[in-house]
Amino acid sequence: KSLRFLSAEAFVSNAEFARKSLSDVAHNLFPLLFKASYLLEQGEVIHDLVENWPLVDFNMGKLLGATVDYQEDLSHRTCSVCLESCLTGLRDYVLNNFSPYMKRLKVVDLTGIKDVEVQFCECKKTMGRWARTQMLSKLCLELVVYLQQAQCNPGTSEISIDVLIDLFVTERNYELVVEALLKKCCCPLKICCVAFRSDNLTLQKFFYIIKLADPSLLRKLEIVHNVRLEMEHLEILLNSIHFPLLMSLTLPARTFNVQRFTATDEQMLTNIGEKMGEMTQLTELCMSFSILTGRIQKLLSPLKTPLKMLDVSNCSLNHADMAYLANSFHANHLEALDLSGHDIPELYPSTFFKLLSHSSSVLRSLTLEDCNIQDTHVNMLILGLSPCQKLHEFKFVGNPLSSQALKHLFTFLCELPMLKNVEFPVPRDCYPIGITYPIDDASICRFDHQKYESVAEELNLILLQANREDVKASTPLFGSYDAAVQETNNELGAYLIKSFKETLEKFTTSFNKMS
């Protein structure tokens, strides 16, 4: 911390004094005071700073990121006290009656906030992406109602502030967000959706809200859980809506299933590939849990921009698919690759290592979960990973590796200079003899926990002895942390139970008809 930052902390630590003195503070000190207030969770001071913000832009990522005065990045602190104060301060900025010519704010960027598993704020209460979507929409509607009913300063109607946000819409907040988007033209705070995630929505509602969200601004689109988007719906989406700036596309499970393809489906797949090829900014593509056997080239070859991230986990890829990936122009640009759920050693070992070799100079994240990697494959894996000197993250949960093989692999992983995160499997020798892979959910926790803890300690000791305390090693049995799922898990669970109940009712009805 610089002396300036220490002084800022001292200033904001007395909230009453700080709030009274803001009018005497130089405008260029507001960013410094904002970060100090955020660190100390001084909600009232944060509110007043935003309410009286004297600058043209307010960028959360830059304000909370590493600065000359304080290097620590606070953008991963989704502190509820701080964020709520920030958003209500933004509303009151519009309503505050000081002279309009002093109101210079034009752009608010909330996209730099990062949702992470462990929070360091004292209140321990987070405001995730869904809650931020909910609150901003609510505040925008409150503003519209207030401005329609009250006698406001004439200059208030001239205020127009673009609020860049990553929207997260589910059935529970759908109506509120739709209303806020419909009244955008009447509100001084203009919601500008840069990234959009949708869970638990009917197709009709999804198609309606994605058009309202202004697809021309969209850089990231995630259609994830319980949105029943199949290939024909995807073709309609890409034909009817233009996404000129889209950089990242995530499709729900089972969007594609080539096992039941007809000639019409083949043409449809070709059309989808061509439409994706028109997205000149597209560099990230996630198509996990679809069946794409033999069709990867048809989908990816029309792309004019090389992919930097590709997730084709559990997509039943064959040798032709892997050969295309290894020889395509995408291979040399892949920074993140997920090939989980494929028997790599058995199906295409040499082709996979060719792909790894081509991407090694840029690869930062590699996920090979449930890939049947056994002890006999470890030396070959080490050989393939050796050139990947920029690797930050390696996930290989669900592979049948022994404790000894894991120790051998960890000794090598210590040599990768950029590595920060490793997700490793429970050793095979911790499970009962005769366990089969991939392990089903019912058996996944039935291992010798004491032995596992002992092995985990040894693996961490290997890291410690190599001075690699910076590497986090863990075994997430049920998958990596997903902030969105964590925030909406109650709604997700209720939706799944409802879907299961409906399926049972349909089955019962059909069975009774047959009887």
Side-chain angles (χ1 to χ4, degrees), residues 231-233 235 263-273:
M231 189 173 65
E232 55 268 34
H233 310 126
E235 186 186 31
T264 305
D265 293 325
E266 292 289 357
Q267 184 57 49
M268 201 181 294
L269 190 70
T270 302
N271 294 342
I272 290 170

Side-chain angles (χ1 to χ4, degrees), residues 331-365:
N332 296 309
H333 298 85
L334 285 172
E335 296 176 13
L337 177 63
D338 190 341
L339 291 168
S340 299
H342 295 98
D343 191 344
I344 288 172
E346 180 68 28
L347 296 175
Y348 23 64
S350 58
T351 319
F352 164 71
F353 285 115
K354 183 178 181 182
L355 171 60
L356 201 57
S357 171
H358 287 168
S359 61
S360 60
S361 63
V362 293
L363 192 65
R364 294 164 57 89
S365 175

Side-chain angles (χ1 to χ4, degrees), residues 176-208:
L176 184 72
V177 180
V178 163
E179 192 177 357
L181 291 173
L182 283 171
K183 294 183 177 176
K184 177 179 175 178
C185 59
C186 310
C187 185
L189 299 179
K190 312 291 184 187
I191 295 177
C192 298
C193 179
V194 177
F196 184 94
R197 173 163 174 151
S198 171
D199 283 10
N200 307 329
L201 273 187
T202 63
L203 280 175
Q204 184 179 5
K205 288 181 176 180
F206 167 72
F207 271 85
Y208 182 64

Side-chain angles (χ1 to χ4, degrees), residues 295-354:
R295 305 306 197 285
I296 285 291
Q297 183 170 358
K298 185 173 280 192
L299 263 179
L300 302 189
S301 59
L303 299 185
K304 299 173 182 67
T305 309
L307 291 172
K308 292 182 180 178
M309 189 281 277
L310 178 63
D311 181 350
V312 281
S313 55
N314 299 281
C315 284
S316 303
L317 304 188
N318 62 15
H319 188 273
D321 295 316
M322 192 60 71
Y324 167 74
L325 288 176
N327 294 300
S328 71
F329 78 127
H330 302 292
N332 296 309
H333 298 85
L334 285 172
E335 296 176 13
L337 177 63
D338 190 341
L339 291 168
S340 299
H342 295 98
D343 191 344
I344 288 172
E346 180 68 28
L347 296 175
Y348 23 64
S350 58
T351 319
F352 164 71
F353 285 115
K354 183 178 181 182

Side-chain angles (χ1 to χ4, degrees), residues 246-248 280-285 305-310:
L246 197 69
M247 300 170 68
S248 179
T280 55
Q281 306 291 316
L282 190 66
T283 58
E284 298 182 359
L285 186 58
T305 309
L307 291 172
K308 292 182 180 178
M309 189 281 277
L310 178 63

